[in-house]
Amino acid sequence: MGKGIDEWIDLDKRHFIHPTSSLKQQQTEGAAHIFTEGKDIYLYDINGKKFIDAMSSLWNVNIGHGREELAKAAFEQMSKLAFSSCFSTFSNEPAIELAEKLASITQGDLNAVFFTSGGSEANDTAYKLVRHYWILKGEKARKKIISRTKSYHGVALGATSATGLKPFRDFTNSLAPDFCYTDHLSAKSLRDVIEKEGPETVAAFIAEPVQGAGGVHIASPNYFAEVRKICDEYRILFIADEVITGFGRTGTYFGMEHYGIVPDIVCFAKGVTSGYAQLGGVILSKSLHEQLIELSTDTLFHGYTYSGHPAACSVALKNIEIIERENLIDNAEKMGKELLKGLKQLELTRGIVGATRSLGLMGAIEFVKHKESNKQFEKPIAPLIVKEALAKGLICRAVVFDSQDTIVLAPPLTINENEIEKIIEIIDDILITFEKK
């Protein structure tokens, strides 16, 4: 006889420490939902309740839930070669094939790939590689990494230290040194930070094309072009954190394509497998790769057990095949316009909506008590709206960092117009209720 829901909740409390969750909430209320099945944009919990997964779980289930093709790809590869080390120049076919594919779909001369198990590892890898590069170049003082306020780059030690959201840094009392922060929307601020720190001490600048966990903040159209020029002027490497924005999320293959610039390094994860397997990585420009080859005389002392994992790479190849075959990037661009239209309608008709914004299938709604004065509520209402949405079968996310009061959305790229309308309808119903209070 199978376990009942109360037994599952009790076991969860006793044995499972949840990531980015309230320990007290888990112990007093139990798991919010125990999911058992997913299909396309929907999740189903242990009670059989159906939810629209308007966050693609963690911004990552790009092709939707329940894709048997990915399970088959994993099965076939695991049956043939589940794992083999890529240390000491050992290799495998799926890793080579995926690296070649990634080189072909990224912009400009981005060309060579280092694989990790996820986004935090990818960003930590980028910091180590750029610092190693400057050591090889004889400029050992270049070790500082500049990131932006309201940025999120992961929770490994270096990734945490680069994250511009202070609560994540306050979680620990010993951050990695040599991380600095610039205003998230000001290119001038970046120049000022570089001048203050000393250009000769700065190794790289890292930025998300669209800031995800920080509240879906979208830079002005010319921001990244200006940033690219500043980095080139001071000989600073430019890292694009495409962990969330890669593989069609913004309506282009990679988010930086919107701005017409090519970074020196791209960090990726999430959408590369749509969450069906743990995989991330770093893509280097051809120039950077060639310089590392030329200058390096010793072992590259950086690597993870699962770097180039053959089964994960096979899943990624099938995932990318589906994205291309089903034209999901075009769909993200088209449905992104529908999402923006719905968000703007909420902004126009609901008095507690201060502003809305989106790019592709990444959207945000800001809440205010008084629209005219832009005055916020004494206590953020976004968590309450998210709770009401969950009760109505809609999964979205609240962002209250840095005095924000925002909910964010990032549905799977498979979503259709009717489903977009349903999301907006649910949110609108909730907002009407809140306005009557």
Side-chain angles (χ1 to χ4, degrees):
M1 189 173 180
K3 296 181 181 67
I5 185 168
D6 290 340
E7 188 176 358
W8 282 116
I9 289 173
D10 183 59
L11 289 169
D12 182 271
K13 288 180 181 180
R14 284 194 277 136
H15 301 297
F16 185 10
I17 301 174
H18 287 244
T20 316
S21 301
S22 166
L23 292 171
K24 289 189 184 299
Q25 180 183 344
Q26 180 197 12
Q27 294 305 312
T28 57
E29 301 176 22
H33 290 277
I34 299 174
F35 294 109
T36 58
E37 186 181 356
K39 189 68 176 176
D40 198 18
I41 73 163
Y42 300 99
L43 287 171
Y44 300 82
D45 73 5
I46 199 167
N47 294 313
K49 185 172 180 177
K50 180 180 178 180
F51 298 83
I52 298 174
D53 183 7
M55 280 306 302
S56 300
S57 287
L58 281 174
W59 318 83
N60 62 335
V61 188
N62 286 15
I63 66 168
H65 298 280
R67 292 294 194 124
E68 292 184 3
E69 283 184 81
L70 296 196
K72 184 178 179 182
F75 173 78
E76 290 177 352
Q77 184 57 47
M78 286 182 182
S79 301
K80 181 181 179 182
L81 176 68
F83 175 75
S84 65
S85 168
C86 291
F87 285 29
S88 303
T89 75
F90 290 5
S91 197
N92 65 76
E93 293 166 317
I96 296 170
E97 187 178 355
L98 180 58
E100 179 191 32
K101 179 62 178 178
L102 292 170
S104 73
I105 63 178
T106 47
Q107 60 268 47
D109 67 342
L110 291 160
N111 180 67
V113 184
F114 184 102
F115 288 111
T116 70
S117 300
S120 292
E121 284 184 1
N123 285 330
D124 266 30
T125 294
Y127 311 145
K128 288 182 72 175
L129 288 178
V130 298
R131 285 166 170 166
H132 180 64
Y133 166 79
W134 288 116
I135 290 171
L136 294 178
K137 294 280 284 185
E139 298 186 52
K140 295 181 180 180
R142 283 189 180 267
K143 55 186 179 179
K144 293 177 182 175
I145 308 294
I146 300 175
S147 64
R148 300 194 291 163
T149 56
K150 292 186 171 61
S151 64
Y152 178 80
H153 299 294
V155 294
L157 184 58
T160 296
S161 302
T163 291
L165 298 167
K166 195 170 180 291
F168 286 92
R169 303 200 306 273
D170 290 344
F171 178 77
T172 180
N173 62 358
S174 184
L175 294 168
D178 299 313
F179 286 87
C180 313
Y181 313 98
T182 180
D183 181 85
H184 68 302
L185 297 177
S186 169
K188 180 183 181 301
S189 175
L190 174 61
R191 183 182 294 277
D192 292 342
V193 172
I194 292 169
E195 289 290 346
K196 178 184 175 183
E197 297 296 329
E200 72 284 355
T201 71
V202 180
F205 168 69
I206 184 168
E208 304 156 273
V210 178
Q211 293 183 312
V216 184
H217 295 286
I218 304 166
S220 64
N222 62 347
Y223 171 79
F224 283 110
E226 293 176 14
V227 161
R228 176 77 264 190
K229 289 179 182 177
I230 291 169
C231 288
D232 290 343
E233 179 183 343
Y234 292 104
R235 297 177 55 243
I236 292 168
L237 296 176
F238 181 17
I239 305 168
D241 179 348
E242 296 261 14
V243 170
I244 288 176
T245 53
F247 304 96
R249 171 58 56 194
T250 67
T252 54
Y253 233 128
F254 291 89
M256 280 299 172
E257 293 176 38
H258 288 283
Y259 305 103
I261 64 104
V262 179
D264 301 295
I265 296 173
V266 164
C267 298
F268 68 90
K270 294 191 184 290
V272 68
T273 64
S274 288
Y276 283 68
Q278 301 93 325
L279 185 67
V282 175
I283 312 174
L284 305 182
S285 69
K286 182 179 181 182
S287 171
L288 192 54
H289 185 216
E290 288 177 346
Q291 289 182 73
L292 286 172
I293 293 169
E294 180 183 350
L295 296 170
S296 180
T297 58
D298 203 347
T299 299
L300 185 71
F301 286 108
H302 182 71
Y304 302 101
T305 298
Y306 299 120
S307 292
H309 192 287
C313 291
S314 292
V315 170
L317 285 163
K318 181 57 68 174
N319 176 68
I320 293 170
E321 177 188 315
I322 291 170
I323 288 172
E324 294 182 343
R325 186 180 72 224
E326 298 185 5
N327 298 314
L328 294 184
I329 299 174
D330 287 343
N331 193 62
E333 191 267 336
K334 292 174 184 174
M335 291 303 102
K337 290 178 179 177
E338 294 301 316
L339 176 62
L340 182 59
K341 184 167 70 174
L343 294 177
K344 290 302 177 186
Q345 184 64 22
L346 292 177
E347 184 179 337
L348 182 66
T349 58
R350 298 293 156 237
I352 61 172
V353 175
T356 60
R357 53 186 174 271
S358 69
L359 184 64
L361 288 173
M362 292 180 73
I365 305 170
E366 292 184 1
F367 302 109
V368 293
K369 189 174 183 179
H370 300 294
K371 184 174 288 191
E372 294 75 15
S373 64
N374 207 36
K375 183 179 179 181
Q376 293 184 306
F377 287 90
E378 288 75 13
K379 187 176 181 180
I381 65 168
L384 301 177
I385 290 171
V386 166
K387 186 175 181 179
E388 286 295 317
L390 195 61
K392 292 178 178 290
L394 175 67
I395 298 171
C396 51
R397 183 170 175 176
V399 175
V400 295
F401 310 116
D402 292 344
S403 300
Q404 298 182 86
D405 193 0
T406 300
I407 63 168
V408 295
L409 303 162
L413 311 190
T414 54
I415 198 165
N416 62 41
E417 189 173 342
N418 289 336
E419 291 163 338
I420 292 281
E421 290 176 359
K422 182 62 177 177
I423 290 172
I424 298 299
E425 178 185 316
I426 292 172
I427 295 172
D428 193 31
D429 286 345
I430 296 168
L431 298 185
I432 290 171
T433 301
F434 268 79
E435 287 188 337
K436 291 178 179 178
K437 290 181 179 180

